[in-house]
Amino acid sequence: MAATHEDRNAALSPGVAIKAPCRAASIGTLTLSAEQTVDGVACVSGDRVLAKDQSNPIDNGIYAVSTGSWTREPDFDGTRDVVEGTIIPVNQGTTNADTLWRVTNTGTIVFGTTSLTFERAVVNDSNSVSFLQSGTGAVTRTVQSKERDVVSVFDFMTAAHIADVLAG
């Protein structure tokens, strides 16, 4: 059931903002029926799953796992439940553990009509961000990997300047 009242001060539905966490999130199209493994997690009846990669994006959303057909969760099944920026936490998974997902749709969302789209909402640690140092032959690595380097004055010099310093 969709939220039926609004916060009078902010004119916001209590159903939007941050949703209750999902156990797992999809990494591809899911069959929205029966208990199954989602992103390496054995999801059973009653688990919440974020289906964000359906071949038909109209079917994206938060579902309750069931031995039969899955149903949308009550906080993600009505027009007033979801807006641009709604956040969905995901607790487990080989790929999506400890992530947050953000609804990117603008305008009114109508379930069964609107193609729902999601993006990763925030970076949860320095191992999730890529870093590409400038210069020829630079290799992409994580910020965490770069942070583990020893800081040297050579990090702030050009190759020509380093050659001059080393030459004496």
Side-chain angles (χ1 to χ4, degrees), residues 47-145:
D47 285 342
R48 288 169 61 92
V49 170
L50 173 60
K52 60 180 181 53
D53 305 296
Q54 294 304 104
S55 55
N56 184 348
I58 290 171
D59 297 327
N60 285 340
I62 299 174
Y63 287 86
V65 174
S66 171
T67 55
S69 294
W70 292 10
T71 57
R72 288 188 187 272
E73 284 284 33
D75 66 335
F76 210 93
D77 69 351
T79 301
R80 295 176 54 164
D81 291 337
V82 184
V83 296
E84 178 185 9
T86 297
I87 300 290
I88 301 106
V90 176
N91 290 337
Q92 297 176 20
T94 303
T95 302
N96 293 317
D98 301 321
T99 59
L100 298 172
W101 293 87
R102 177 184 178 277
V103 174
T104 60
N105 295 77
T106 58
T108 302
I109 294 170
V110 179
F111 286 91
T113 301
T114 304
S115 294
L116 290 171
T117 55
F118 300 87
E119 68 181 4
R120 186 123 174 229
V122 294
V123 175
N124 56 353
D125 61 36
S126 62
N127 199 38
S128 301
V129 179
S130 294
F131 168 79
L132 179 60
Q133 190 159 339
S134 62
T136 305
V139 177
T140 301
R141 49 198 268 216
T142 66
V143 169
Q144 183 181 70
S145 170

Side-chain angles (χ1 to χ4, degrees), residues 12-34:
L12 294 174
S13 167
V16 298
I18 299 175
K19 298 298 178 185
C22 292
R23 182 161 186 214
S26 63
I27 55 173
T29 301
L30 297 174
T31 302
L32 299 175
S33 64

